[in-house]
Amino acid sequence: MAYKMIAERDNAKYSFARESRLLIVAKAKVWASEGWRVVITDQDGKAYAPPEFDQLLAA
C-alpha cells in the first residue's frame, strides 16, 4: 500500500492502508476532527500531521 494512516486516542490505536492519496487524507481528516491523533505516512516513509494533509494532496 502506498499510504498508511495511524490514529490514536486514549488506549486505542487503528491503522489503515490505501493506495489512494485522496481517500486516506479524507479518512484522516474525519478522524482528526473527532479528536484522534492522526499521522499519514507515504510510500517514502515521510510522515504528515493534520496541518500538512493538504500538502499531501497537492503532491
Side-chain angles (χ1 to χ4, degrees):
M1 293 285 157
Y3 299 94
K4 183 176 181 181
M5 179 191 108
I6 297 175
E8 295 180 275
R9 182 171 67 182
D10 302 326
N11 293 325
K13 183 175 182 177
Y14 294 94
S15 177
F16 302 93
R18 298 284 184 270
E19 288 292 331
S20 170
R21 199 173 33 211
L22 178 62
L23 291 177
I24 203 74
V25 169
K27 182 180 280 293
K29 284 184 174 188
V30 169
W31 283 65
S33 74
E34 294 177 357
W36 291 80
R37 290 181 307 277
V38 182
V39 173
I40 296 173
T41 305
D42 66 13
Q43 63 273 14
D44 297 325
K46 182 174 180 349
Y48 297 85
E52 303 168 309
F53 289 166
D54 289 333
Q55 293 175 13
L56 186 58
L57 288 176

